[in-house]
Amino acid sequence: MAMAGDVKLGQLTKYLFSAPSWPVSLLIMIVLGLVIDGAIARVWVQLPFSGTLAFTIPAIAAFVLTKPIIDFSGKTMTWNRSALLALSCTVFGVIITFASLAGGIRYLPLFYGISLGFVFGLRLFVLVAISDYRVPRMILPAVTQSGVGVIAGWFLFSPGWVAFALILHVVFGLGFAILVWLIERPLYRAFRIRGLAFVNAFVANMTDGSKKEMEDFFRDIGEEIYVPQVCLFFRRAAKKPVLFTVPNLHPGPMGEIGGGNLPKLIHDRMTKEETLVPHGCASHDFNLVSENEIDKVIAAIEASKKDCAYDPGATPSRSITCGTVKILYQRFGNSILMISTRSPEMTEDLDYSIGLAIMAEGHRWFPHVAFVDAHNCMTDLSSAVLPATLTATEYQKGAAGAMESCSNAPLAPFKVGYARRHLPYSRDEGFGDLGVQVMVVETAGQKTAYVLFDGNNMAGGVREALCEKIRTLVDATEVMTTDTHVVNTITGKNPVGLTIPAETFLPLVMDTVREAIADLGDAECAATTAQCEHVVVFGSNRISQLASTVNAMLIFVAPLSLAMLLLAFLLSLAAYVVLV
């Protein structure tokens, strides 16, 4: 299968890295200046040039001034990034300047001037990318390093050289500004958005957790959708009710952005019930553009449960296999719950249309069809399952077989037990805020455990290891994840069991299952299909379109940059001949 846009977009994270601590960068700047001073000490009379004056002092000035200037403009910049940018530009400046020695010392002023122009252009480009996409606002912080370098050149060379250096600032500044325009043009023409505005928002989120700018960006590209959400309300005598609700929305794109924490936010808002929020049929196209969109989901759930009718009957759970797809299913009154998996094959997002087709066909037998993607086996980053593929057909045939087989099955009284446990692991280790939740259903002498981890998928083999042990306490079980994306900020691969081995947290899971069994009480079920309306999400195929555009842009960045630099260099030579 061709790699989908969300996977391609995720692979762009290979270009991300963390800046080293600013004292390290500062120390390297100082040492580099002193090394240059020592190297030219013997020719000081013939070459009145100081490494500290020409390189270290401008770098330190840029390091000290850049962050306050950017912060004053309302944007963000860390000291570590400021120091790394100053150091990187210093290294480029040294390389360009001392390339002149290949032709003789007389070319030193020319190449030092070129280095300052290049440093200004490079700083402008980087600051526009990571802080503020509006070029005019970044001119002042960009010129801090090269501007102090021009002052140093005033003392080292001649007053006429200063005019030459300033012209090179204009040449390189315009060159990099045009490069920014060319990079942004495809995204602007295709989506009327500025790509660097997204990069700014992403950096701000990674720096200080700011969500507003990214969510504003996503809202600009978003579209409204209308999706059903099936809910199973379990009423229990003298015990808190349990809600099992299946959203056909995606808990993404990452961290707390958009609907990244969708399962927990629904759980926390439904205060009258113990709420489980497994993963329905939705890909990254159905990422919420803002956390505020969850209010519409909550309103739909609350509206659906008014005047709903409860039924005291359920069937024992059964399982069915169709090709690579396995489905655990159980009927509750006039509804059916199905949990699907392909483990040990890759179990990933199902396109919404597949879930909608299953629900529509299921209406032949049941008015309410809850279909869950267990999302419980990750072998690698993978594309969503699309309609009309072999895998999609297996899901649909398996679901149809499950629904037909229990449509006329006799119902019996049932009990429901619930337990939740916070696991002592972090988001970085693959565990979301809800920990693990267990709902146990007992009917006709059979116990079935529905185990839900707040995480984004499971490492291969973890599901099998957990199910094997849990079946020592119950007759049937399936393990699911919510697909929460709070565990993902830089990469989409952080499944349950990858960092923390299954045997480490298995005892806690087993204790939670025991607590749910001990909590069993007589229950009735009322099923509803909530209509979530006017929910703003990324939009169908929008991720693929964005990814294709971005990847196409990256192909042309290198040759465009090289062409701009070559043109600027030629213009620099022409200006040197005329002015110096």
Side-chain angles (χ1 to χ4, degrees):
M1 179 182 294
M3 199 172 292
D6 54 322
V7 178
K8 291 180 181 178
L9 207 58
Q11 290 182 340
L12 298 180
T13 57
K14 64 186 178 181
Y15 297 107
L16 300 175
F17 61 91
S18 298
S21 177
W22 67 263
V24 175
S25 298
L26 183 61
L27 178 62
I28 296 174
M29 294 179 210
I30 296 172
V31 170
L32 185 59
L34 293 175
V35 168
I36 295 173
D37 287 342
I40 63 175
R42 295 185 179 182
V43 293
W44 180 252
V45 176
Q46 293 80 12
L47 181 62
F49 189 87
S50 167
T52 298
L53 179 62
F55 298 110
T56 302
I57 293 177
I60 293 175
F63 162 61
V64 172
L65 295 174
T66 300
K67 175 177 167 54
I69 294 173
I70 291 177
D71 289 348
F72 181 77
S73 69
K75 295 297 181 177
T76 183
M77 181 80 168
T78 66
W79 288 113
N80 289 346
R81 292 194 183 112
S82 179
L84 179 62
L85 178 58
L87 173 61
S88 301
C89 289
T90 300
V91 172
F92 280 117
V94 170
I95 293 172
I96 294 172
T97 299
F98 286 98
S100 65
L101 297 181
I105 293 178
R106 66 183 182 277
Y107 294 113
L108 194 61
L110 166 63
F111 279 79
Y112 183 60
I114 292 175
S115 74
L116 294 181
F118 176 79
V119 165
F120 169 66
L122 179 61
R123 286 179 59 84
L124 182 64
F125 180 80
V126 172
L127 292 176
V128 163
I130 69 173
S131 292
D132 193 335
Y133 69 92
R134 292 164 290 192
V135 173
R137 293 194 176 197
M138 291 295 100
I139 290 176
L140 181 57
V143 81
T144 50
Q145 186 164 355
S146 57
V148 176
V150 170
I151 296 174
W154 176 288
F155 294 101
L156 295 170
F157 306 117
S158 65
W161 177 89
V162 173
F164 165 71
L166 294 177
I167 290 175
L168 293 192
H169 273 64
V170 175
V171 170
F172 278 92
L174 285 175
F176 277 95
I178 292 172
L179 180 61
V180 169
W181 182 84
L182 290 173
I183 290 174
E184 287 210 308
R185 193 61 182 168
L187 275 175
Y188 189 77
R189 292 192 65 180
F191 305 103
R192 309 301 293 179
I193 59 174
R194 297 191 176 276
L196 290 179
F198 172 75
V199 179
N200 294 168
F202 178 79
V203 172
N205 175 254
M206 296 298 295
T207 301
D208 57 16
S210 172
K211 298 193 298 182
K212 183 180 183 302
E213 290 184 351
M214 284 192 75
E215 292 186 344
D216 288 346
F217 177 89
F218 292 140
R219 190 172 292 279
D220 288 341
I221 68 172
E223 63 182 26
E224 286 188 354
I225 62 169
Y226 298 74
V227 292
Q229 179 157 330
V230 178
C231 302
L232 303 179
F233 294 93
F234 295 97
R235 184 169 63 187
R236 305 187 295 166
K239 293 179 182 289
K240 193 172 183 179
V242 176
L243 167 60
F244 193 101
T245 181
V246 187
N248 290 302
L249 297 164
H250 194 267
M254 61 186 182
E256 300 277 359
I257 300 298
N261 210 7
L262 173 70
K264 183 176 188 298
L265 292 171
I266 293 179
H267 171 276
D268 291 350
R269 292 284 297 277
M270 302 301 295
T271 56
K272 297 179 181 179
E273 297 90 5
E274 303 283 7
T275 305
L276 297 91
V277 189
H279 185 43
C281 294
S283 65
H284 280 270
D285 286 341
F286 280 17
N287 284 332
L288 301 179
V289 299
S290 168
E291 182 180 303
N292 295 333
E293 296 299 313
I294 297 175
D295 294 341
K296 301 172 184 176
V297 177
I298 300 297
I301 296 174
E302 292 287 357
S304 74
K305 71 178 182 180
K306 295 178 181 178
D307 302 322
C308 58
Y310 284 85
D311 192 302
T315 65
S317 66
R318 297 288 184 266
S319 61
I320 188 171
T321 299
C322 183
T324 61
V325 173
K326 294 178 284 290
I327 298 176
L328 177 71
Y329 60 96
Q330 188 165 17
R331 176 183 173 185
F332 298 95
N334 64 350
S335 64
I336 184 171
L337 172 62
M338 293 179 283
I339 317 294
S340 64
T341 181
R342 295 182 69 234
S343 183
E345 298 293 327
M346 183 74 181
T347 304
E348 249 300 334
D349 296 338
L350 296 178
D351 189 80
Y352 168 69
S353 60
I354 298 173
L356 188 63
I358 290 172
M359 294 171 67
E361 184 168 7
H363 290 161
R364 294 165 52 192
W365 303 287
F366 303 101
H368 308 289
V369 178
F371 188 81
V372 175
D373 168 17
H375 211 258
N376 58 5
C377 184
M378 172 177 275
T379 55
D380 198 0
L381 291 175
S382 177
S383 308
V385 178
L386 299 177
T389 60
L390 174 60
T391 302
T393 302
E394 290 174 346
Y395 274 105
Q396 291 176 258
K397 287 183 177 180
M403 291 184 287
E404 185 175 14
S405 69
C406 70
S407 59
N408 295 315
L411 302 177
F414 68 98
K415 297 180 179 181
V416 169
Y418 172 85
R420 174 191 165 205
R421 177 166 297 209
H422 174 74
L423 300 177
Y425 311 111
S426 68
R427 293 178 175 183
D428 292 339
E429 293 169 318
F431 292 85
D433 305 333
L434 289 175
V436 62
Q437 297 172 281
V438 177
M439 183 178 76
V440 174
V441 178
E442 182 179 17
T443 184
Q446 181 209 53
K447 293 185 180 72
T448 303
Y450 298 93
V451 181
L452 178 64
F453 284 87
D454 195 21
N456 183 356
N457 222 312
M458 286 188 169
V462 172
R463 175 253 184 193
E464 284 71 20
L466 293 173
C467 287
E468 181 182 358
K469 293 295 183 181
I470 294 171
R471 287 195 191 99
T472 63
L473 302 177
V474 296
D475 302 292
T477 187
E478 188 56 86
V479 178
M480 305 163 277
T481 67
T482 63
D483 194 23
T484 179
H485 275 53
V486 295
V487 299
N488 306 112
T489 51
I490 298 300
T491 176
K493 189 175 183 179
N494 190 20
V496 172
L498 179 65
T499 303
I500 307 297
E503 57 268 21
T504 301
F505 58 84
L506 178 60
L508 299 175
V509 176
M510 298 295 285
D511 288 344
T512 310
V513 175
R514 293 186 185 97
E515 291 175 14
I517 294 173
D519 185 59
L520 282 168
D522 292 337
E524 297 176 311
C525 178
T528 67
T529 301
Q531 293 298 326
C532 304
E533 301 179 345
H534 303 287
V535 180
V536 185
V537 298
F538 280 17
S540 299
N541 300 316
R542 194 56 57 92
I543 289 292
S544 297
Q545 293 168 0
L546 278 171
S548 298
T549 305
V550 170
N551 279 280
M553 286 163 47
L554 290 177
I555 294 174
F556 294 102
V557 166
L560 282 175
S561 302
L562 183 60
M564 285 294 177
L565 289 176
L566 181 59
L567 177 61
F569 181 76
L570 294 175
L571 291 175
S572 301
L573 292 178
Y576 184 75
V577 171
V578 173
L579 297 176
V580 179

